[in-house]
Amino acid sequence: MKYNAEVKISLKKGMLNPEAATIQRALALLDYKVENTDTIEIIKFSIEGEDEETAHDNVDEMCQRLLCNPVIHDYEITITPENG
């Protein structure tokens, strides 16, 4: 069965995020007041699996091995049936 996978990757709390700081400063220069700016990378793809749990486990392994660095990143996985 095919599933849609979405992985949201962000830096763990306490990690420096120069990209977010730059965005926050630029918005301030444009007279927008924002606080707690964060950046999140979203990766979407289709994956085959016997069931939703297997698909989730495979995506989790992908995250740990390639898609992010578990030492500095947090990630959230969402799995949905492709036709649902």
Side-chain angles (χ1 to χ4, degrees):
M1 183 168 191
K2 279 195 171 185
Y3 295 93
N4 293 319
E6 179 180 279
V7 180
K8 293 181 183 178
I9 303 169
S10 60
L11 288 172
K12 289 186 176 192
K13 287 201 181 286
M15 299 300 297
L16 294 178
N17 191 339
E19 182 181 23
T22 300
I23 292 168
Q24 188 168 346
R25 283 193 303 273
L27 288 171
L29 289 172
L30 296 171
D31 292 327
Y32 294 105
K33 289 188 177 187
V34 295
E35 295 180 18
N36 302 322
T37 306
D38 195 10
T39 55
I40 296 175
E41 180 179 359
I42 299 175
I43 302 171
K44 295 181 178 184
F45 54 92
S46 294
I47 186 169
E48 291 204 17
E50 295 175 17
D51 53 35
E52 194 169 323
E53 184 178 343
T54 302
H56 185 280
D57 291 346
N58 286 335
V59 173
D60 186 60
E61 183 178 338
M62 290 176 193
C63 289
Q64 293 181 36
R65 295 182 69 193
L66 177 68
L67 299 178
C68 66
N69 180 345
V71 174
I72 63 170
H73 293 121
D74 285 326
Y75 58 92
E76 178 184 324
I77 300 169
T78 303
I79 302 290
T80 55
E82 190 169 77
N83 296 329

